[in-house]
Amino acid sequence: MPSIAGGLFSAGRGISWLRLRRLQRPLLSSLSAGGGSDAPHLPVVIVGAGPVGLALSFLLAKFGIKCTVLERSMEFTRHPRAHFINNRTMEIFRKFDGLAGDIERAQPPVDLWRKFIYCTSLSGSILGSVDHMKQEDFDKVVSPISVAHFSQYKLVDLLLKKLDGVGFQTCFPDELGGSSAQDLLLENKILMGHECSSIELTDDGILVGASFNNGGRMQERKLHCGLLLGADGARSKVRELAGISMKGERDLQKLVSVHFVSRDLGKYLSSERPGMLFFIFNPDAIGVLVAHDLEHGEFVLQVPFYPPQQMFEDFSAKVCEQIIVKLVGWEPADIQVLDIKPWAMHAEVAEKYVGCDNRVILVGDAAHRFPPAGGFGMNTGVQDAHNLAWKLCLLLNGIADPSIIQTYESERKPVATFNTELSLENFKAAMSIPATLGLDPTIANSVHRVINSSLGSIIPRNLQKVVLEGLFSIGRTQVSDYILSENNPLGSLRLARLRSILDEGKSLQLQFPAEDLGFRYGKGALVAEDCAESTYQAEDLKHSKRSSGEYIPSAKVGSRLPHMLVRPLSASSEGVFSTLDLVSGDKIEFVIIIAPLKESYKLAQAMLRIADEFELSAKVCVMWPQGSRDVEAKGSISELAPWTNYVDVEEIPRATVNSSWWEMCQVSNRSVILVRPDEHIAWRTEPDMVRDAYSDVRRVFSQILSLNRPQV
């Protein structure tokens, strides 16, 4: 129930949001000035209209920032691609005008996708399965919303509807005319068929060249912007043009992705063995099937291939259908292959996220490329956008210093590096299953390297292919019914090892609550606690390996605000909502959380006054213990006067836990917590630790806004 709390605050002396939108400020003018160019003058240009680019566009539009999106394709892909949305991303989507609810209503029923299944064919023996949903996921213990299984193209469709609701339009080259379209025609537009072809750093921005096909003739449109945001995916053109390299492991595996539909297969699996992922091993074929929507029979099959002996061109629709039939174990009559794409698995992070004098910023897959194990790619990208949007808004309105952009990199790059390592660990866990069954992928890779090095220059490719596939065929006999049987001593041992791996949670995992919700920013737009740096490094080392551990709520600086249900203590207000809903989704606003203690009220007053001086919107949440009455909460009126932008709420601890908000957060109720617009904690202190409220709080806000940072 996002933004419920927003309606509880009266429009008293709290700073008006409209005061933030002073577009005549000198900084904003310089970021969108034309510098004498005839190109349209725009504050922001985003390259890439995938989920990350569209999410970033929506956030900026909600915050009043005009932008233009360039998308190289003439249509949005219908290839499902990403499909798992974790807790943190769903929390963010709750504040996208109800997007999370739309996803929950449209996704397949959870019982159809909660399991991973390991089998010899989709109709053959089940070797094992793992249920990745726990009761606490349904009870919404650690988050106000559960994870989701929803294909990327469907998410894009919903994002486009949300963008339409905030005034965005999708346009094609013939609708815009020639290359001289004016800025008013391009604001809040998604320009389809426009590829970023050049960037040029000017005295006051970036001159972007966008090539497009206009009636069969290639033309280039020039746009001048203050900031260029590259959300154009793993093969980012913006990253290439900015000269930013990637670091990490490349070409871990090459795969063919086969998008197909079969209602017959969907119906069979729905009734017999529902699941999200099917890992299939038999003597004829090996593959991983992603069931995007069993009710509608929509699937993606992932099959490894080994060039140059095996080439993508070898995988025709007919060949792919034959592989599907081998993996299914019978022939569905209605298989229809819709799309076939090659892709390479990488584990890389950009050497930097910000370039060209803070004018070019990489977001999403343009900044990091993960193995798909764990579903970190799109989720990390959406969270990048969430971190960046509020900072850009404060920058473009002249409230924050341009160096605040560097805090985006200092906060998000370590998360990407960690998620890269976690994805690799999860990928290795996935590979442990075939290795246990006698199909060690490292041996297959070694065989491939030997053929490339010893036979590559001696015999033709076709003969090399015969040798390679012959060796692979011999290898696949390890999963024949004869060997993979309880009656075979070797097979029995392997099956026992497989069950052990699955039972101990050492196979491929879907959810990582400790990492998805528990990641913490060590430095950036925040004020670190004393000794926080060494503590952060120790925690980073401790959690540097793959873990499916539980999330432990924490109010440490840099952490996401913990979730607890609260109830407003007001006769005119009803309902229950999450502490995360104290943070507005419609405007840039800081939240100050205190207990009803005199010293905390006094410090909160100082924080409201300083926020007003910085022209920041801020509000106070007074957290009362369970059982408090409305009449008690009325004391906040006099304690916070003349400020009226506050809310009194009552904790609703879970019956099984029965701990207060402060105990859950592992802090004293004397703590004063400052929460950023992205729901991360920017500062935490106690009144007796503050020597001079005015100067200390002023220093805190200056540090968050990068007003006291050296220019980079």
Side-chain angles (χ1 to χ4, degrees):
M1 297 173 65
S3 301
I4 293 176
L8 301 173
F9 300 92
S10 56
R13 196 169 157 187
I15 182 70
S16 167
W17 172 241
L18 294 176
R19 288 179 60 189
L20 286 178
R21 299 184 55 190
R22 302 198 302 173
L23 299 185
Q24 72 275 19
R25 280 185 179 271
L27 178 61
L28 181 61
S29 299
S30 70
L31 283 172
S32 58
S37 168
D38 292 331
H41 313 150
L42 299 157
V44 176
V45 168
I46 299 172
V47 180
V52 174
L54 295 179
L56 187 52
S57 306
F58 179 83
L59 288 168
L60 292 178
K62 289 272 282 189
F63 298 154
I65 302 299
K66 302 290 186 182
C67 62
T68 298
V69 181
L70 305 179
E71 169 52 47
R72 66 188 298 269
S73 301
M74 285 291 287
E75 59 184 16
F76 294 100
T77 180
R78 309 308 289 176
H79 200 97
R81 296 186 179 179
H83 58 95
F84 177 66
I85 308 177
N86 68 22
N87 274 128
R88 185 62 190 132
T89 302
M90 285 295 283
E91 289 176 352
I92 293 169
F93 284 163
R94 290 173 76 241
K95 297 184 179 179
F96 276 47
D97 292 351
L99 175 61
D102 295 340
I103 292 170
E104 287 188 313
R105 287 185 291 274
Q107 72 173 341
V110 67
D111 285 342
L112 294 184
W113 55 265
R114 59 192 293 168
K115 291 183 178 181
F116 290 177
I117 295 176
Y118 301 83
C119 55
T120 57
S121 75
L122 294 180
S123 56
S125 300
I126 293 180
L127 306 175
S129 65
V130 179
D131 188 341
H132 291 283
M133 298 297 288
K134 300 177 181 178
Q135 187 57 44
E136 68 176 29
D137 296 316
F138 304 106
D139 293 342
K140 301 179 181 177
V141 174
V142 299
S143 175
I145 195 162
S146 295
V147 299
H149 172 49
F150 197 63
S151 299
Q152 179 173 314
Y153 76 88
K154 297 178 182 178
L155 175 60
V156 166
D157 288 345
L158 291 181
L159 283 168
L160 289 171
K161 290 179 181 178
K162 299 302 178 186
L163 281 164
D164 182 65
V166 293
F168 253 83
Q169 292 181 304
T170 301
C171 300
F172 296 88
D174 58 353
E175 297 172 331
L176 293 170
S179 58
S180 60
Q182 295 303 304
D183 53 340
L184 290 178
L185 293 176
L186 300 181
E187 285 182 350
N188 286 5
K189 298 284 195 307
I190 301 172
L191 308 187
M192 303 298 292
H194 284 68
E195 181 174 9
C196 179
S197 52
S198 65
I199 61 173
E200 178 185 346
L201 186 63
T202 67
D203 291 339
D204 46 21
I206 293 280
L207 189 62
V208 181
S211 59
F212 62 99
N213 188 320
N214 188 18
R217 187 165 60 93
M218 294 302 298
Q219 292 183 267
E220 186 178 67
R221 192 185 308 281
K222 293 288 188 180
L223 301 90
H224 198 278
C225 62
L227 296 166
L228 177 64
L229 312 182
D232 49 338
R235 292 175 290 181
S236 171
K237 187 69 173 179
V238 172
R239 186 181 66 230
E240 176 189 332
L241 293 171
I244 299 174
S245 61
M246 301 290 284
K247 292 187 176 180
E249 298 185 45
R250 292 183 54 83
D251 294 330
L252 295 168
Q253 194 172 44
K254 287 185 168 61
L255 299 104
V256 173
S257 179
V258 185
H259 180 204
F260 72 96
V261 291
S262 170
R263 286 187 175 270
D264 286 351
L265 181 57
K267 184 178 180 180
Y268 167 76
L269 292 175
S270 294
S271 62
E272 298 297 325
R273 51 180 70 176
M276 176 193 285
L277 296 185
F278 296 83
F279 300 84
I280 311 164
F281 311 98
N282 67 50
D284 296 320
I286 294 172
V288 178
L289 185 72
V290 185
H292 280 264
D293 190 339
L294 287 179
E295 290 184 313
H296 295 90
E298 184 173 25
F299 303 91
V300 169
L301 174 64
Q302 306 284 5
V303 180
F305 76 106
Y306 297 82
Q309 292 80 20
Q310 296 173 328
M311 299 298 287
F312 169 66
E313 292 75 19
D314 298 338
F315 291 86
S316 63
K318 183 177 181 180
V319 168
C320 290
E321 285 182 19
Q322 292 171 348
I323 296 173
I324 292 167
V325 170
K326 291 175 182 177
L327 295 172
V328 171
W330 52 277
E331 186 171 356
D334 61 345
I335 294 177
Q336 181 183 1
V337 174
L338 302 178
D339 194 15
I340 308 169
K341 291 181 179 296
W343 63 282
M345 188 186 299
H346 308 293
E348 298 179 304
V349 177
E351 62 175 352
K352 58 183 179 179
Y353 280 23
V354 180
C356 300
D357 292 341
N358 284 354
R359 300 286 185 172
V360 174
I361 306 171
L362 302 180
V363 191
D365 286 356
H368 42 72
R369 306 194 289 202
F370 308 141
F376 291 99
M378 183 185 71
N379 289 295
T380 305
V382 171
Q383 293 160 33
D384 289 343
H386 192 233
N387 178 285
L388 180 62
W390 70 273
K391 296 174 180 178
L392 293 185
C393 181
L394 294 182
L395 167 63
L396 292 170
N397 283 285
I399 294 170
D401 187 84
S403 59
I404 197 173
I405 292 176
Q406 290 293 330
T407 71
Y408 162 68
E409 178 174 320
S410 64
E411 291 178 357
R412 293 303 301 169
K413 187 177 177 184
V415 173
T417 301
F418 181 88
N419 286 349
T420 302
E421 296 170 359
L422 189 57
S423 297
L424 277 171
E425 288 292 320
N426 215 23
F427 173 64
K428 291 175 183 177
M431 294 300 99
S432 71
I433 298 297
T436 298
L437 298 177
L439 298 170
D440 192 335
T442 60
I443 295 178
N445 292 332
S446 298
V447 169
H448 184 226
R449 283 194 297 270
V450 168
I451 291 177
N452 282 339
S453 61
S454 61
L455 301 180
S457 59
I458 302 174
I459 63 176
R461 184 184 76 86
N462 287 344
L463 189 53
Q464 293 178 46
K465 180 180 179 182
V466 170
V467 172
L468 180 71
E469 293 184 349
L471 292 172
F472 283 175
S473 179
I474 294 172
R476 289 196 300 270
T477 60
Q478 296 297 312
V479 289
S480 65
D481 291 339
Y482 172 72
I483 295 180
L484 205 59
S485 167
E486 293 289 359
N487 297 323
N488 185 306
L490 178 60
S492 178
L493 178 63
R494 288 174 174 175
L495 290 171
R497 287 176 179 170
L498 171 64
R499 287 190 291 269
S500 177
I501 290 172
L502 299 181
D503 292 343
E504 294 173 12
K506 294 180 179 179
S507 60
L508 176 66
Q509 297 298 299
L510 178 66
Q511 295 203 64
F512 293 84
E515 292 80 12
D516 292 342
L517 299 176
F519 69 87
R520 184 163 71 91
Y521 300 138
K523 58 182 179 179
L526 46 81
V527 180
E529 302 167 58
D530 292 340
C531 303
E533 186 63 29
S534 59
T535 302
Y536 180 79
Q537 290 175 352
E539 288 182 356
D540 190 47
L541 181 63
K542 178 181 176 183
H543 297 295
S544 61
K545 293 297 182 181
R546 173 178 172 270
S547 164
S548 56
E550 295 182 3
Y551 160 70
I552 299 174
S554 170
K556 291 178 181 177
V557 170
S559 301
R560 154 204 173 263
L561 181 68
H563 156 71
M564 177 183 274
L565 292 178
V566 294
R567 178 186 296 113
L569 283 174
S570 170
S572 60
S573 300
E574 296 181 359
V576 171
F577 54 91
S578 169
T579 47
L580 293 171
D581 297 326
L582 294 167
V583 182
S584 174
D586 298 320
K587 57 184 178 180
I588 303 299
E589 189 168 54
F590 288 79
V591 175
I592 304 156
I593 302 177
I594 63 171
L597 303 174
K598 195 167 190 66
E599 299 84 355
S600 299
Y601 279 122
K602 185 177 179 181
L603 182 54
Q605 268 203 337
M607 294 172 75
L608 288 173
R609 181 159 63 98
I610 299 301
D612 194 20
E613 291 181 10
F614 278 97
E615 300 189 56
L616 289 171
S617 181
K619 65 190 178 189
V620 174
C621 166
V622 186
M623 189 74 69
W624 292 79
Q626 187 177 30
S628 299
R629 296 174 298 170
D630 181 35
V631 64
E632 294 176 296
K634 288 182 179 178
S636 298
I637 297 175
S638 58
E639 294 289 352
L640 290 172
W643 305 95
T644 59
N645 46 323
Y646 69 89
V647 62
D648 293 289
V649 301
E650 173 195 5
E651 306 167 344
I652 309 178
R654 287 186 55 78
T656 54
V657 179
N658 199 30
S659 60
S660 72
W661 158 260
W662 307 102
E663 290 169 336
M664 183 187 74
C665 293
Q666 306 177 67
V667 295
S668 161
N669 70 343
R670 293 179 55 80
S671 295
V672 175
I673 299 172
L674 178 63
V675 186
R676 307 189 318 191
D678 63 351
E679 301 165 7
H680 280 259
I681 296 170
W683 183 49
R684 179 171 64 85
T685 191
E686 294 185 12
D688 56 7
M689 297 173 63
V690 178
R691 298 176 184 174
D692 182 323
Y694 182 84
S695 61
D696 285 2
V697 172
R698 189 172 185 83
R699 174 184 58 82
V700 165
F701 277 111
S702 294
Q703 188 164 332
I704 293 168
L705 300 173
S706 298
L707 297 176
N708 56 359
R709 297 178 192 269
Q711 291 286 340
V712 179

